[in-house]
Amino acid sequence: MNSEKELSGKTVLLMAIAAGVIVANLNYIQPIEGLIAASFQVSKATVGVVAMLTQLGYAFGLLLIVPLGDIFNRYQLIQVMLVLSIIALLVAFWAPTVTIFGLASLLVGITSVAPQIIIPYAASLAPALHQGKVLGNVLSGLLTGILLSRSVSGLLGSVMRWQYVYLIAALAGVILLVILHQYLPRDQRAQPNLHYRHVLGSLPQLLRQQKHLQGAAINGFCLFGVSNVLWSTLAFYLAAQYHMGSNVAGLLGLLGITGVLFASIIGRLVDRYSPRLTIGLGIVFSALAFLIFASLGHFFIGLMVGIILLDLGTQFGQVSNQAIVQSLNREASSRNNSIFMFSYFLGGALGTFFSTFAWSHFGWAGVCGVAAIFLVIAVLGHFILREPKQLRPVQ
């Protein structure tokens, strides 16, 4: 397959848009947690558990479904997962009780893994010397989806019933499905000789054999955990500190546009310099963000500056880690990505759970304390499991 021919600018843009639209499903709940709690007449901690289920479902979807990208035709697999995601969103829209909504949220997480099939697909089509740039562009779409999902969800939740957020997401998925079926490149790289049990059984071995995969997994766990510590509790903090609603929580998500604008630049820095450098910068930006939240979070401008730094730190880590993971082994690219993203969203799920627990018992200081624990682990991983100084050509 001629990768330069297959991976035109329009194809990269389509993959970026698809990744953004689908990953948005995971974050719709964050700005409207308070509305959901009031609607079902449950505690905020209960809704925090539901939000965790979405992230946890995504983590297990990454572990159990994404490796199928090394076996089956990815053109078809992406579309199958999108159909299942649409069904899960419709169940979330309909859910009459918090229990059913929690189950639907778990299914939304499990079925919204198509972006993590798209990412190694894009990497496999990209010319080796421009892989970081291509991944940066696709991940720009991913981060844009995260940002806009928070903003759209928060704004819609302020003008209509929160359930309609999930109905609109399902309709967006239907439109995307039609477009992908027509324009996504056909995949010729399926390996039918691989069996699902063998693929799953190979995951521990791949992790054990690849030190840089271990480092990326730990770093992703920590930096996405830190990100979710903020976004899972921001709506609660805004209501308590500033008496502001879900619409403001959604609008603050737009501050992360800095990360979107820098994603392609970060990809170029990884290609030109060192992923060790860019991951270190990701840790520094995330740490600075929570220092500002802890000391100046009671000032609105401090909150804004911290959000910009946090999203920038998250993006530095995400692009750098993805570039490392996709440089390891082309034949195992989906499985490597599965391992990395499982750890990534497991960190996000635990960040969500522990931060909402800390908020309920210790307030904002407890939330910042949870972030500090994640950051200490990130620093230890950075110095013990050192990232590569340079990316090597894909094997």
Side-chain angles (χ1 to χ4, degrees):
M1 180 181 293
N2 188 324
S3 59
E4 295 188 54
K5 178 181 177 181
E6 289 287 344
L7 206 64
S8 66
K10 291 181 180 179
T11 301
V12 174
L13 178 61
L14 174 60
M15 289 180 161
I17 292 172
V21 170
I22 299 169
V23 80
N25 298 338
L26 306 176
N27 300 283
Y28 288 129
I29 192 172
Q30 290 177 342
I32 57 175
E33 288 182 26
L35 299 175
I36 296 170
S39 174
F40 289 124
Q41 297 183 331
V42 297
S43 69
K44 293 175 180 176
T46 299
V47 179
V49 171
V50 173
M52 180 195 71
L53 286 175
T54 306
Q55 303 285 345
L56 201 59
Y58 194 74
F60 280 98
L62 292 166
L63 190 65
L64 300 175
I65 296 172
V66 170
L68 294 174
D70 283 340
I71 306 174
F72 298 117
N73 185 296
R74 285 176 285 195
Y75 167 79
Q76 296 172 351
L77 183 59
I78 289 165
Q79 294 177 71
V80 169
M81 295 314 303
L82 184 51
V83 169
L84 295 176
S85 177
I86 292 167
I87 294 171
L89 290 166
L90 291 174
V91 175
F93 163 70
W94 163 79
T97 67
V98 71
T99 302
I100 295 176
F101 179 68
L103 177 61
S105 296
L106 180 67
L107 294 174
V108 166
I110 292 171
T111 59
S112 296
V113 296
Q116 303 310 323
I117 302 170
I118 291 172
I119 288 170
Y121 191 18
S124 71
L125 295 174
L129 294 178
H130 301 289
Q131 192 174 87
K133 178 182 175 181
V134 169
L135 287 172
N137 289 333
V138 174
L139 290 167
S140 291
L142 195 78
L143 185 58
T144 301
I146 293 172
L147 297 179
L148 293 182
S149 67
R150 293 169 183 156
S151 302
V152 168
S153 177
L155 292 173
L156 289 178
S158 68
V159 298
M160 62 179 66
R161 292 173 58 199
W162 62 265
Q163 288 92 337
Y164 283 96
V165 172
Y166 289 91
L167 179 60
I168 292 170
L171 294 174
V174 171
I175 294 170
L176 177 63
L177 179 62
V178 173
I179 296 172
L180 289 179
H181 182 74
Q182 182 68 30
Y183 295 106
L184 190 67
R186 272 54 173 177
D187 184 16
Q188 306 297 326
R189 196 213 45 83
Q191 300 182 69
N193 57 311
L194 290 178
H195 299 289
Y196 183 62
R197 186 171 62 179
H198 169 75
V199 166
L200 287 186
S202 70
L203 297 181
Q205 183 180 6
L206 287 170
L207 180 60
R208 187 169 55 251
Q209 291 177 343
Q210 299 176 100
K211 177 183 176 183
H212 294 320
L213 180 59
Q214 298 169 16
I218 291 174
N219 185 263
F221 175 95
C222 293
L223 291 191
F224 193 57
V226 167
S227 176
N228 274 28
V229 165
L230 172 75
W231 290 109
S232 297
T233 55
L234 181 61
F236 302 151
Y237 184 66
L238 287 172
Q241 179 72 24
Y242 299 103
H243 308 289
M244 294 176 176
S246 64
N247 56 334
V248 178
L251 286 172
L252 284 174
L254 292 176
L255 292 174
I257 192 68
T258 306
V260 176
L261 296 175
F262 270 82
S264 182
I265 297 173
I266 295 169
R268 292 188 180 96
L269 290 175
V270 173
D271 286 335
R272 184 173 180 180
Y273 296 105
S274 167
R276 186 182 300 175
L277 169 66
T278 50
I279 286 175
L281 289 174
I283 295 172
V284 169
F285 285 132
S286 298
L288 285 175
F290 268 92
L291 285 174
I292 292 172
F293 291 145
S295 58
L296 300 173
H298 54 287
F299 295 112
F300 200 74
I301 186 66
L303 204 60
M304 294 173 65
V305 171
I307 287 172
I308 292 172
L309 288 172
L310 181 63
D311 278 326
L312 192 58
T314 303
Q315 189 72 342
F316 261 94
Q318 170 74 330
V319 174
S320 304
N321 284 316
Q322 280 286 4
I324 292 170
V325 170
Q326 296 305 324
S327 73
L328 296 175
N329 185 337
R330 187 179 294 273
E331 294 304 315
S333 60
S334 288
R335 282 169 285 171
N336 285 336
N337 194 51
S338 177
I339 293 168
F340 167 64
M341 293 305 300
F342 173 77
S343 179
Y344 191 80
F345 276 88
L346 182 61
L350 293 178
T352 296
F353 176 76
F354 286 118
S355 63
T356 52
F357 177 85
W359 171 260
S360 299
H361 292 81
F362 307 106
W364 191 239
V367 170
C368 294
V370 171
I373 294 171
F374 275 99
L375 287 165
V376 168
I377 297 171
V379 170
L380 292 175
H382 181 60
F383 285 104
I384 295 173
L385 294 170
R386 297 168 65 84
E387 297 85 10
K389 291 182 178 180
Q390 295 290 336
L391 296 180
R392 54 196 175 95
V394 182
Q395 296 175 355

